[in-house]
Amino acid sequence: MSLTAGIVGLPNVGKSTLFNAITKKNILAANYPFATIDPNVGVVVVPDKRMAKLEEMYIPERVVPTTYEFTDIAGLVKGASSGEGLGNKFLSHIREVDAIVEVVRCFDSRDIINVNDTVDPIRDIEIINVELIMSDLEIIDGRINKIGKKAEMTKDKRELLEINTLKKIKSCLEQNIPVRKISLDESEIDVIKSFNLITLKPIIYVANVSEDDILKGGNDYCKRVLDYAVKDNSEMVVICAKIESELSELNDDDKEAFLADLGISESGLDQLIKKTYSLLGLATFFTVGSDEVRAWTFKAGTKAPQCAGIIHSDFEKGFIKAEVMSYDDLILYGSEKGVKENGKARLEGKDYVVKDGDICYFRFNV
């Protein structure tokens, strides 16, 4: 399952430094706007302590953790929706992601150029959000102009539903209300799917702070971002991109020691990855054996045949049953044999909704 979170923000807020740390890649991170002109994609491992325990129990030939993609997208400037800066090139890239990670400058520095004269995270957030709203509004207006009259003349139910939904969205966008905050039913969401509206995507705000402020747990800028995120029904994470970049060069043991010295229990990146994973409504099931222990990403609420199809399409087509046990039961009873002896191993059918932490073996016949 390929899912992507796009990292966005104004120029020089720490996006590329953060991306480098997440993916341990050496992309261009220069101290001037538009250093990152094309989107850079990196695969991110989702931190999951359960994998280490499963590896210890099964001693497999290989371990494959669950992953998803982060995309670093070029810095946005005021007026992008009307062509300023990289304009529509930026906006077309962000339409392709599943969730938005918006990095906000919450540090003072004379060394790093700021596109505005002062540090004001809320102003910066609103600059970006207005541009995203304007971009969606342009798409909505274009579609209304294209099918509006036809829908009214033909009275086609599907087209009337679409035009009424578009008008509802247009009215909200004109009031600076993003699409994700509009109450839409399943039929309305279905008719706008193909438009890839940016403001329909879930968003998480990342407050990038200085090394001193991360040790304090943030600063006054962060408090303002948190208040904004709460009102937006969104998430917020405080990080220091510079420290995260240093951490990314260390092995796991040295990383833990470094964090312990700083008095930090979990890195900002681990928090961000987990929150983004949750924001996308994702969960993990496992397949285990002496050959491989593997984590698989799925959308929470997915049924067993569709989860089987994530492994291979034939598994879904010929699905018979799923042998299921929970990770917690496996740890509690110490072995698969123990799980079975205690009546906790189950055979589930096509209507079973897979849960996070399920360990599955799919029976199929094609």
Side-chain angles (χ1 to χ4, degrees):
M1 177 178 285
S2 179
L3 290 155
T4 306
I7 303 177
V8 304
L10 294 176
N12 298 334
V13 297
K15 291 186 304 83
S16 293
T17 302
L18 174 61
F19 179 82
N20 287 350
I22 288 176
T23 61
K24 299 182 181 179
K25 284 189 174 182
N26 248 345
I27 63 164
L28 181 62
N31 184 21
Y32 55 87
F34 313 131
T36 314
I37 294 176
D38 293 314
N40 295 271
V41 179
V43 176
V44 175
V45 172
V46 178
D48 194 329
K49 292 180 180 179
R50 296 174 295 187
M51 290 293 285
K53 192 66 180 176
L54 291 172
E55 181 180 8
E56 181 184 313
M57 293 179 74
Y58 286 90
I59 316 175
E61 294 177 14
R62 59 186 176 275
V63 177
V64 185
T66 187
T67 62
Y68 64 96
E69 293 178 351
F70 266 102
T71 301
D72 180 40
I73 301 171
L76 180 65
V77 295
K78 189 174 183 178
S81 58
S82 55
E84 293 295 325
L86 294 172
N88 290 328
K89 187 170 186 179
F90 167 94
L91 295 166
S92 66
H93 289 152
I94 197 174
R95 287 194 188 285
E96 302 307 314
V97 304
D98 299 291
I100 298 170
V101 175
E102 188 168 327
V103 183
V104 186
R105 181 171 177 149
C106 290
F107 62 89
D108 296 300
S109 173
R110 293 181 180 178
D111 299 325
I112 299 178
I113 298 167
N114 191 3
V115 291
N116 295 304
D117 295 332
T118 58
V119 176
D120 184 342
I122 304 306
R123 174 203 58 208
D124 294 352
I125 287 172
E126 290 181 343
I127 285 173
I128 288 182
N129 290 355
V130 165
E131 294 305 324
L132 302 185
I133 283 172
M134 293 298 291
S135 177
D136 278 352
L137 193 55
E138 183 180 353
I139 285 179
I140 295 295
D141 279 336
R143 184 62 177 170
I144 288 174
N145 291 336
K146 184 174 181 180
I147 71 161
K149 289 182 180 177
K150 180 188 173 188
E152 289 173 6
M153 287 175 62
T154 62
K155 303 297 181 184
D156 179 85
K157 286 184 179 180
R158 174 82 178 181
E159 289 186 344
L160 283 172
L161 173 62
E162 181 180 340
I163 202 69
N164 289 333
T165 303
L166 294 175
K167 286 179 178 178
K168 176 180 176 179
I169 292 172
K170 175 181 167 70
S171 175
C172 291
L173 289 174
E174 289 175 340
Q175 299 172 63
N176 282 337
I177 300 171
V179 181
R180 64 180 172 274
K181 294 180 75 173
I182 303 171
S183 178
L184 299 169
D185 62 32
E186 287 186 19
S187 63
E188 290 172 320
I189 291 172
D190 184 59
V191 297
I192 64 168
K193 268 184 183 176
S194 62
F195 303 134
N196 255 349
L197 297 175
I198 299 173
T199 64
L200 181 59
K201 302 176 190 297
I203 190 166
I204 184 168
Y205 297 101
V206 173
N208 186 18
V209 302
S210 69
E211 293 162 277
D212 290 337
D213 284 334
I214 196 68
L215 301 179
K216 302 173 189 173
N219 53 32
D220 288 339
Y221 295 137
C222 298
K223 292 174 185 174
R224 294 172 62 195
V225 175
L226 178 59
D227 287 344
Y228 189 97
V230 168
K231 290 175 185 175
D232 195 36
N233 295 322
S234 299
E235 292 276 3
M236 191 271 261
V237 175
V238 179
I239 67 148
C240 173
K242 187 175 180 182
I243 286 179
E244 299 298 337
S245 183
E246 293 170 6
L247 283 169
S248 70
E249 301 300 320
L250 304 177
N251 62 38
D252 288 342
D253 290 339
D254 289 343
K255 178 181 172 181
E256 284 187 19
F258 185 77
L259 287 171
D261 287 343
L262 294 175
I264 299 172
S265 60
E266 185 177 35
S267 77
L269 288 184
D270 282 353
Q271 292 178 52
L272 174 60
I273 291 168
K274 287 177 182 177
K275 284 198 174 186
T276 309
Y277 195 71
S278 174
L279 188 71
L280 288 167
L282 304 180
T284 303
F285 73 86
F286 304 99
T287 52
V288 296
S290 58
D291 58 336
E292 179 182 89
V293 165
R294 184 162 183 160
W296 301 87
T297 300
F298 69 100
K299 279 276 188 184
T302 303
K303 293 183 178 180
Q306 287 70 49
C307 281
I310 293 170
I311 299 174
H312 196 287
S313 59
D314 284 349
F315 287 21
E316 181 176 358
K317 289 176 187 174
F319 178 86
I320 301 172
K321 291 283 184 181
E323 296 179 20
V324 182
M325 61 181 168
S326 75
Y327 170 84
D328 290 340
D329 285 339
L330 179 63
I331 299 304
L332 177 63
Y333 298 113
S335 67
E336 289 187 24
K337 182 181 177 183
V339 173
K340 291 174 182 176
E341 288 176 347
N342 284 275
K344 296 296 184 179
R346 313 184 307 278
L347 269 181
E348 301 287 358
K350 63 181 181 180
D351 291 326
Y352 176 68
V353 177
V354 176
K355 298 177 179 63
D356 182 68
D358 276 352
I359 297 170
C360 301
Y361 173 78
F362 297 106
R363 296 182 185 178
F364 73 102
N365 183 29
V366 177

